[in-house]
Amino acid sequence: MASQVATPMSLPTSSSSTSLSSPSSPAQLSPDELELLAKLDEQNRLLETDSKSLRSVNGSRRNSGSSLVSSSSASSNLSHLEEDTWILWGRIVNEWEDVRKKKEKQLKDLVRKGIPHHFRAIVWQLLCNAQNMPIKDQYSELLKMTSPCEKLIRRDIARTYPEHDFFKEKDSSGQEVLFNVMKAYSLVDREVGYCQGSAFIVGLLLMQMPEEEAFCVFVKLMQDYRLRELFKPSMAELGLCMYQFECMIQEHLPDLHVHFQAQSFHTSMYASSWFLTIFLTSFPLPVATRIFDIFMLEGLEIVFRVGLAILEMNLTELIQLDMEGMLQHFQKVIPRQLDSGPDKVIQAAYQVKYNAKKMKKLEKEYTTIKSKEMEEQVEIKRLRNENRLLKQRIDTLEKKGNPRYTEDFILQLERELVQARLKEAESQCALKEMQDKILDMERRNMSLPDDINVVRLQEELIGVKLREAEALTGLKELRQQVRGLEEHWQRHLARTAGRWKDSPRKNTLSELQDELMSVRLREAEAQAELRETRQRMLELETQNQIHGNHLRRAEQEGRSLQERVQTLTAQNKGLLVQLQDIKRKQAEIECKSKEEVMAVRLREADNIAAMAELQQQISELEIQKEEGKVQGQLNRTDSSQYIRDLKDQIGELKHEIRCLKGQRGGLASQPTFDGIHIVNHYATDNESYHSSDDDITALQDHHQRRSDGNSSRIRLHPNLGDTDSEGEEDGEALRLTVPSNGSHKSTTV
């Protein structure tokens, strides 16, 4: 995959792999090491045939401007030192657990020198313990879900490594996998969601490994390397890092710190991106990758070290610049200084004195400062509220000029006293509730036969009684305060009785005493609220202990319920299988029913065709009858007999039609047929006689073979009399009427 080769590292060729498997080396290597080297040789051959991968590597070199390895050295044999490095890292990967526990110092030195490109993916996963994470199986499901951060991620994708071949093309595979990993993490950690800057870290991971493994490594980095706290919406961890870094500058570079202060050049203006992206947006990619190797082992310590080393290397230039000049220096000059490679800055970083204990102390100081700031904000808010209330009280005192308002003020004080007494009553009720709960706990204690539970409940009871004693003491103090307030209130009433007879000076003194009285009432109210809050806190502590015991019992029940859930899950799977079988059978039944419906419709079509043939036969018989009358083949006596024969034939046909209708058996939804009506009329001058035969009706034909889709109707009206009279020739007539498409044709004999 292209993402696995898009790093600034020279690729070994097949000739170099041949040198690894030379006859001199197998005698010194174990079978596991030989197998690992064979795999590396195969991977090298595959990489050499991938021109796109080579272009990606060359492009990353051009973008970074580094001089790591020339193109000619990429095709040459590896040096002995490189051979030893590869063999050593192969041995480290195979014996990782032992090396991590017993040879941590040697591992640290190797990581600081740089992890070989082909080992970087597996070593990073081993360093952060990201292999075989359960969340890897959820990755494909997360991609099917919708994240509220998708628009933000899409917007920032194009800004992530815009000059790198793997990410610069719009909607390329690199941008797509980067979007997938960022979206999946925003669904896993909804508190953090997506933060601008984290995409650079994910992009670097995707250059080394597939997206599933990159996702697991990123989750580990967020959880175990303080990155999650850095990317939280409050960014409290970033503020802590800025405070610690500024203190380090003040200690190691005091002149530069004074210059920064004079120019109002805050630490966050240049160092925040260092901590958020681990130098990936500030340094060339090869240098940042080497620093990231060390970050995977040592955490954020390397960021502090490298940051201070950069400031020391540029101390002379920075002191001579103003704010804008320093910003330009950090953005343009420092990256060009690092084009020669990371070794110089990494060596300088480990010359910096880093005291972990002092960093912990600074963290505590920062926490204390922030907590004090929060307390000050709360206190300022409280003072503002009190100031507002006092202003309102002063306004009321200034406007107090009539005895009516004074009476209202006294009524207000009385209401405050009533409220204080009500709160005292509420405290007594709360105390009684606590006593009832204590009795309830004692009854529960008696009902529990377990000795351990009895001991625990006895300890809880002792704690509750101690808290009850504290509550009683507070209640006594509150009662004393209430009695003192009542005495002050009585003296106040005695003073206000003759207020309007006193001089204005005494009235002013009385007003101040009233104000003092109201302040004392508010103080008593506040103390009552405080006592009530403490009482509530004690009650909550007691409930917490009780709930702890309940929780232990609930855990046992939870385990039994989990077993029950597993059993029900198995039953549910069986029911799902049965449901699928039932659905399959239902589908088969529906197919059979559709086939039966089609068969019925085919039989119905055959019946319709048979009816049409019978109708045609009836029409032909009527035409034959008409032609016989016209040609004079029938006489007056024979015509009646002939008509009766025709009627018999028509009756037989009618019977067959009824039989066919009976076969249809209730298909009422099918269309009806046009009718065939045969009517026998006998007419005289003043009266007419209708034949006793019933009309044959209600046969309609919508046969599909007729192209015009219209219906036709044939009517035969035989006006033949039964008498032998020859004088009434105009009274006998055989008329054939054939209506078609709205026009009528008739033939009369």
Side-chain angles (χ1 to χ4, degrees):
M1 147 173 215
S3 63
Q4 293 176 319
V5 297
T7 53
M9 189 70 189
S10 62
L11 297 177
T13 62
S14 60
S15 60
S16 64
S17 63
T18 305
S19 66
L20 284 175
S21 59
S22 60
S24 60
S25 59
Q28 300 175 357
L29 301 178
S30 64
D32 294 337
E33 293 170 347
L34 291 174
E35 183 181 357
L36 178 61
L37 289 176
K39 291 180 180 179
L40 292 174
D41 292 340
E42 181 65 23
Q43 189 175 8
N44 289 336
R45 286 192 291 273
L46 293 174
L47 291 173
E48 287 175 349
T49 58
D50 191 354
S51 60
K52 182 178 179 182
S53 299
L54 292 176
R55 287 197 301 270
S56 176
V57 174
N58 293 331
S60 65
R61 291 172 185 161
R62 288 194 299 271
N63 295 333
S64 62
S66 65
S67 58
L68 288 176
V69 182
S70 64
S71 59
S72 60
S73 64
S75 59
S76 63
N77 292 331
L78 292 174
S79 64
H80 294 293
L81 179 61
E82 291 173 334
E83 289 181 12
D84 295 339
T85 302
W86 277 55
I87 294 171
L88 180 59
W89 275 104
R91 191 173 298 165
I92 288 172
V93 170
N94 288 332
E95 302 173 359
W96 177 257
E97 296 296 333
D98 294 337
V99 172
R100 190 69 187 269
K101 293 178 181 177
K102 300 177 182 179
K103 300 180 180 180
E104 186 175 359
K105 188 176 184 302
Q106 292 85 339
L107 178 62
K108 225 178 236 189
D109 294 337
L110 286 172
V111 171
R112 290 174 182 177
K113 292 177 182 178
I115 302 172
H117 165 68
H118 293 293
F119 288 96
R120 186 165 278 141
I122 182 63
V123 172
W124 281 4
Q125 294 181 57
L126 292 171
L127 284 172
C128 66
N129 197 20
Q131 68 275 20
N132 301 323
M133 288 182 65
I135 200 171
K136 186 176 181 181
D137 300 332
Q138 304 175 11
Y139 182 74
S140 58
E141 297 296 329
L142 292 171
L143 296 184
K144 299 177 184 178
M145 301 169 65
T146 302
S147 171
C149 304
E150 289 186 8
K151 291 184 179 180
L152 295 175
I153 298 172
R154 287 287 186 193
R155 183 193 64 187
D156 292 339
I157 285 294
R159 308 175 189 173
T160 305
Y161 299 111
E163 298 180 357
H164 199 284
D165 291 343
F166 190 48
F167 298 103
K168 68 180 180 181
E169 296 181 4
K170 186 177 181 182
D171 298 330
S172 62
S173 60
Q175 289 190 1
E176 191 61 28
V177 295
L178 179 59
F179 172 78
N180 290 342
V181 176
M182 298 306 302
K183 171 187 171 182
Y185 185 80
S186 67
L187 292 169
V188 170
D189 190 352
R190 295 185 180 271
E191 182 182 0
V192 175
Y194 167 73
C195 182
Q196 189 176 12
S198 59
F200 286 93
I201 297 175
V202 176
L204 179 64
L205 297 176
L206 289 171
M207 296 177 197
Q208 313 297 330
M209 61 191 75
E211 56 181 302
E212 294 86 354
E213 297 175 1
F215 172 68
C216 295
V217 173
F218 184 64
V219 171
K220 272 292 183 181
L221 292 177
M222 295 292 283
Q223 292 177 353
D224 300 340
Y225 287 73
R226 296 171 61 184
L227 292 185
R228 185 176 185 274
E229 303 299 325
L230 284 173
F231 288 117
K232 274 186 177 181
S234 62
M235 289 191 171
E237 192 72 13
L238 181 61
L240 171 61
C241 292
M242 295 296 100
Y243 178 76
Q244 291 173 330
F245 191 63
E246 186 174 357
C247 291
M248 290 181 69
I249 296 172
Q250 186 177 4
E251 179 182 358
H252 295 89
L253 305 171
D255 295 337
L256 184 62
H257 180 264
V258 172
H259 179 66
F260 283 169
Q261 294 291 328
Q263 295 292 328
S264 298
F265 193 61
H266 300 291
T267 310
S268 59
M269 297 174 68
Y270 63 92
S272 59
S273 62
W274 294 354
F275 288 88
L276 289 174
T277 63
I278 319 299
F279 299 105
L280 290 171
T281 57
S282 305
F283 292 177
L285 190 58
V287 179
T289 305
R290 281 284 304 277
I291 295 173
F292 203 85
D293 288 340
I294 305 172
F295 169 75
M296 295 293 292
L297 179 64
E298 301 180 11
L300 287 176
E301 176 183 342
I302 187 61
V303 182
F304 288 100
R305 287 181 176 275
V306 172
L308 202 60
I310 290 292
L311 295 179
E312 286 181 353
M313 294 166 61
N314 295 270
L315 175 62
T316 306
E317 294 84 354
L318 290 173
I319 288 180
Q320 298 174 359
L321 298 173
D322 58 0
M323 179 188 292
E324 294 182 0
M326 287 188 288
L327 284 174
Q328 292 293 326
H329 191 83
F330 277 107
Q331 294 174 1
K332 296 181 180 180
V333 178
I334 291 178
R336 286 199 299 268
Q337 293 176 355
L338 299 174
D339 286 342
S340 59
D343 295 332
K344 182 178 179 181
V345 67
I346 291 176
Q347 185 178 2
Y350 284 100
Q351 300 299 322
V352 173
K353 295 181 181 179
Y354 181 87
N355 191 339
K357 292 183 178 179
K358 188 168 185 179
M359 298 298 283
K360 286 287 185 183
K361 183 179 179 182
L362 292 175
E363 182 178 355
K364 292 180 180 179
E365 290 180 2
Y366 180 78
T367 305
T368 304
I369 291 171
K370 283 297 178 181
S371 61
K372 287 183 179 179
E373 288 180 358
M374 292 294 295
E375 291 176 357
E376 288 176 357
Q377 291 177 0
V378 173
E379 183 66 18
I380 289 171
K381 186 176 180 180
R382 186 184 66 81
L383 291 174
R384 285 177 180 174
N385 291 331
E386 290 185 357
N387 190 20
R388 180 175 55 82
L389 294 173
L390 288 174
K391 285 182 178 180
Q392 292 178 358
R393 184 59 58 86
I394 290 170
D395 293 338
T396 55
L397 290 174
E398 288 177 353
K399 294 178 181 179
K400 186 174 67 174
N402 51 15
R404 179 180 178 183
Y405 185 82
T406 304
E407 292 176 359
D408 294 339
F409 181 72
I410 293 172
L411 291 175
Q412 181 181 356
L413 292 176
E414 290 178 350
R415 285 194 296 269
E416 291 179 358
L417 182 61
V418 171
Q419 290 177 359
R421 291 177 177 176
L422 287 175
K423 288 185 177 180
E424 180 184 1
E426 290 176 358
S427 300
Q428 291 179 353
C429 291
L431 181 61
K432 186 176 181 181
E433 290 178 359
M434 289 293 296
Q435 292 175 351
D436 294 338
K437 288 182 180 179
I438 291 170
L439 294 175
D440 187 18
M441 290 175 63
E442 289 178 350
R443 287 194 295 269
R444 290 181 183 178
N445 191 10
M446 293 176 64
S447 63
L448 292 174
D450 191 1
D451 295 336
I452 297 175
N453 290 333
V454 170
V455 172
R456 289 177 180 173
L457 289 175
Q458 286 178 351
E459 293 175 354
E460 292 176 4
L461 181 59
I462 292 170
V464 169
K465 288 183 177 180
L466 290 174
R467 287 191 287 272
E468 181 184 0
E470 293 177 0
L472 289 172
T473 304
L475 183 60
K476 289 179 180 178
E477 294 176 357
L478 186 61
R479 285 175 178 174
Q480 291 177 0
Q481 291 179 0
V482 170
R483 283 195 295 270
L485 287 174
E486 287 178 351
E487 293 174 359
H488 284 296
W489 180 250
Q490 295 297 330
R491 290 196 296 270
H492 173 72
L493 291 178
R495 287 195 304 270
T496 55
R499 174 178 295 179
W500 308 112
K501 299 179 182 180
D502 295 336
S503 62
R505 184 176 180 181
K506 291 185 178 180
N507 289 336
T508 304
L509 181 61
S510 299
E511 290 174 359
L512 292 175
Q513 291 177 351
D514 293 342
E515 183 68 22
L516 178 61
M517 186 65 187
S518 62
V519 170
R520 289 180 177 177
L521 287 173
R522 286 198 302 273
E523 181 184 2
E525 182 180 357
Q527 290 180 355
E529 290 178 355
L530 179 61
R531 298 294 181 184
E532 183 180 0
T533 303
R534 289 179 179 174
Q535 186 68 24
R536 182 60 180 167
M537 184 179 66
L538 295 174
E539 181 180 353
L540 290 175
E541 289 177 355
T542 304
Q543 291 179 358
N544 187 19
Q545 293 179 357
I546 296 172
H547 291 161
N549 293 331
H550 290 172
L551 182 60
R552 285 191 291 271
R553 300 187 190 97
E555 287 177 352
Q556 297 177 355
E557 295 178 357
R559 286 191 290 269
S560 62
L561 289 175
Q562 287 180 354
E563 296 175 355
R564 178 63 176 168
V565 166
Q566 293 177 355
T567 305
L568 292 175
T569 304
Q571 294 178 358
N572 190 20
K573 290 181 179 178
L575 292 174
L576 289 174
V577 173
Q578 294 179 4
L579 179 61
Q580 292 177 355
D581 294 337
I582 291 171
K583 288 182 177 179
R584 180 177 53 79
K585 292 179 181 178
Q586 183 180 3
E588 293 176 355
I589 292 171
E590 289 178 355
C591 292
K592 290 181 181 179
S593 64
K594 289 180 180 179
E595 292 175 356
E596 291 175 358
V597 169
M598 292 299 295
V600 170
R601 289 181 178 176
L602 291 173
R603 288 197 298 271
E604 182 183 355
D606 294 337
N607 293 336
I608 291 172
M611 289 182 184
E613 291 175 358
L614 291 175
Q615 180 182 0
Q616 185 66 27
Q617 292 178 8
I618 292 172
S619 301
E620 291 175 357
L621 289 173
E622 290 176 345
I623 292 171
Q624 290 177 5
K625 175 182 175 182
E626 188 70 13
E627 289 176 352
K629 293 284 292 184
V630 172
Q631 294 175 2
Q633 295 177 358
L634 299 175
N635 54 21
R636 297 176 61 89
T637 59
D638 295 333
S639 62
S640 300
Q641 182 63 33
Y642 186 74
I643 288 171
R644 283 193 293 272
D645 294 336
L646 287 175
K647 288 181 179 180
D648 294 335
Q649 293 179 8
I650 289 170
E652 292 175 358
L653 293 174
K654 181 179 178 182
H655 179 70
E656 291 181 4
I657 289 172
R658 289 177 178 172
C659 292
L660 290 174
K661 289 178 69 178
Q663 291 179 3
R664 293 176 64 190
L667 295 175
S669 62
Q670 299 296 328
T672 59
F673 300 97
D674 292 336
I676 300 174
H677 299 279
I678 299 176
V679 184
N680 182 20
H681 298 279
Y682 175 74
T684 59
D685 294 337
N686 298 319
E687 61 182 337
S688 64
Y689 174 75
H690 294 277
S691 174
S692 62
D693 294 330
D694 296 333
D695 294 342
I696 302 174
T697 59
L699 292 175
Q700 298 181 356
D701 184 9
H702 290 279
H703 198 271
Q704 299 297 327
R705 292 175 296 178
R706 298 175 62 180
S707 60
D708 55 351
N710 297 323
S711 62
S712 63
R713 179 174 297 168
I714 300 175
R715 293 182 182 176
L716 183 62
H717 300 280
N719 293 336
L720 300 177
D722 294 333
T723 177
D724 295 332
S725 174
E726 298 178 356
E728 299 176 4
E729 295 179 357
D730 56 346
E732 298 177 7
L734 181 64
R735 184 171 67 253
L736 177 64
T737 302
V738 184
S740 177
N741 297 330
S743 63
H744 296 275
K745 295 181 181 180
S746 62
T747 303
T748 305
V749 180

